Amino acid sequence: MRKSRSSDERSPSRPAPALAIAGVRPTKSRGQNFLASGAVADRIVAAAELDQPDHIVEVGPGLGILTEKIAKLPHRSLSLVELDSRLAAQLAERFAGDVSVRVINADFLSLDFASIVADRRIKVIGNLPFNVAAAILRRLSDNSRAISRMVLMFQREVATRIRARPGDDGYSALSVFTALYWDIDLHFAVAAGSFHPRPKVDAEVLRFTPRAELPFAIDEERDILEIIRASFSAPRKQIRNSLSHSLGIDAAKIAQALERAAIDSGVRAETLSVADFVRLSRVLAPLIARTIGADA
């Protein structure tokens, strides 16, 4: 009876006792909100559509509620990237007998991504720490060619911005950055009550597939990202003014560039599509280069 009770207390579906046993107190600074709903975990894992050849990376496995379900399904390998050393040790102990599971105690943002990819395409799953979720998505986008699918959970407000389209209230630089690399073909809400400790807001799960073709050449990427950042640097301002102020380029020259890119200089960045930003970047790239050269 004692053994059964101990096993139950360690269950990731009961985060409070499991965390106490691990000696972990969830902190806001790490954005730690542990999923406690098995039904939600099942839905997340099902969305990944795992198959025998799949190499899987789980970001922030925590107590392992997703890990346990993934490990039961066909897969080639499963790498768990966990920042908290106590949780990583607990996961390593739990899956010690499974040679397909590797636990990596590291910060995903500073991890050598190539070391977990190893010249193969992977699927990524994760209940991302709310405070660094956007930064993790940025890192994954930098490596989108190595990924075949991602199923990730975000704070709902962030998820809304990620999947927003031109003209939507939440459309932002994050929306455009994401659309450069990914198509989002599935999303569903997760109530705040599904977590421990309970966050103040709901969450949302998004499924990403890499775009069949990137809409830009690799040598254009830096300029495009810079133009997107500059365009959204002053929300609700006309794009001509945002670009001029952020890039330090005369407004008249910006207006001319916008005209050449077939974009009305009086519109706001929130109305432009990915194709618009790519086209604008190609026109503005020489001006950016000259500005950088003058500053040097």
Side-chain angles (χ1 to χ4, degrees):
M1 181 68 73
R2 183 176 301 172
K3 182 176 180 180
S4 175
R5 184 170 63 249
S6 175
S7 175
D8 185 53
E9 289 174 350
R10 290 177 179 272
S11 169
S13 296
R14 298 188 60 205
L19 288 167
I21 290 171
V24 174
R25 175 177 290 184
T27 63
K28 282 188 177 182
S29 63
R30 287 192 174 181
Q32 291 176 308
N33 299 95
F34 296 86
L35 181 64
S37 169
V40 172
D42 283 334
R43 194 173 179 187
I44 292 171
V45 174
E49 299 179 350
L50 302 179
D51 203 356
Q52 185 65 48
D54 287 335
H55 297 280
I56 306 155
V57 174
E58 184 182 356
V59 182
L63 290 168
I65 192 168
L66 294 176
T67 314
E68 287 187 346
K69 297 178 182 299
I70 296 168
K72 293 175 183 178
L73 296 175
H75 62 274
R76 185 70 57 83
S77 69
L78 172 57
S79 297
L80 311 175
V81 184
E82 174 55 53
L83 175 61
D84 191 298
S85 59
R86 294 159 297 183
L87 293 175
Q90 191 175 77
L91 290 166
E93 179 183 355
R94 185 183 310 173
F95 294 100
D98 189 338
V99 296
S100 70
V101 179
R102 175 175 60 150
V103 179
I104 303 170
N105 180 204
D107 181 352
F108 184 80
L109 291 174
S110 59
L111 182 68
D112 177 12
F113 195 82
S115 69
I116 55 176
V117 173
D119 296 324
R120 61 199 182 193
R121 295 193 83 194
I122 62 173
K123 288 184 176 178
V124 182
I125 296 179
N127 170 23
L128 302 184
F130 284 173
N131 61 330
V132 292
I136 290 174
L137 177 59
R138 173 71 258 167
R139 183 83 194 283
L140 291 166
S141 297
D142 288 340
N143 295 277
S144 63
R145 296 297 90 188
I147 299 170
S148 61
R149 177 171 293 147
M150 305 194 301
V151 182
L152 305 173
M153 184 144 55
F154 302 84
Q155 205 171 31
R156 192 164 194 186
E157 180 184 352
V158 175
T160 300
R161 289 167 50 211
I162 289 170
R163 61 180 176 82
R165 297 178 180 274
D168 289 350
D169 287 342
Y171 193 66
S172 65
L174 181 59
S175 315
V176 186
F177 287 152
T178 304
L180 283 171
Y181 303 94
W182 308 100
D183 292 315
I184 297 174
D185 57 7
L186 175 72
H187 66 92
F188 59 87
V190 180
S194 302
F195 299 89
H196 174 84
R198 179 175 180 144
K200 294 181 179 180
V201 297
D202 292 343
E204 189 168 316
V205 173
L206 304 177
R207 182 169 69 185
F208 304 76
T209 54
R211 293 185 60 148
E213 292 185 12
L214 293 177
F216 56 87
I218 295 302
D219 62 355
E220 297 176 319
E221 184 174 23
R222 186 180 68 175
D223 290 335
I224 292 171
L225 297 180
E226 178 63 22
I227 292 302
I228 294 170
R229 278 190 287 267
S231 297
F232 285 93
S233 61
R236 295 179 295 279
K237 283 192 175 183
Q238 294 180 344
I239 191 168
R240 175 186 60 221
N241 297 328
S242 297
L243 289 169
S244 177
H245 181 266
S246 181
L247 298 175
I249 298 174
D250 181 74
K253 292 182 178 179
I254 293 292
Q256 291 171 2
L258 287 163
E259 184 178 0
R260 289 175 56 202
I263 296 171
D264 184 343
S265 63
V267 302
R268 298 172 179 176
E270 291 84 353
T271 67
L272 301 183
S273 67
V274 166
D276 291 329
F277 282 108
V278 171
R279 196 169 63 253
L280 177 59
S281 173
R282 288 170 179 162
V283 174
L284 281 174
L287 287 177
I288 296 174
R290 284 200 291 273
T291 301
I292 294 173
D295 291 342

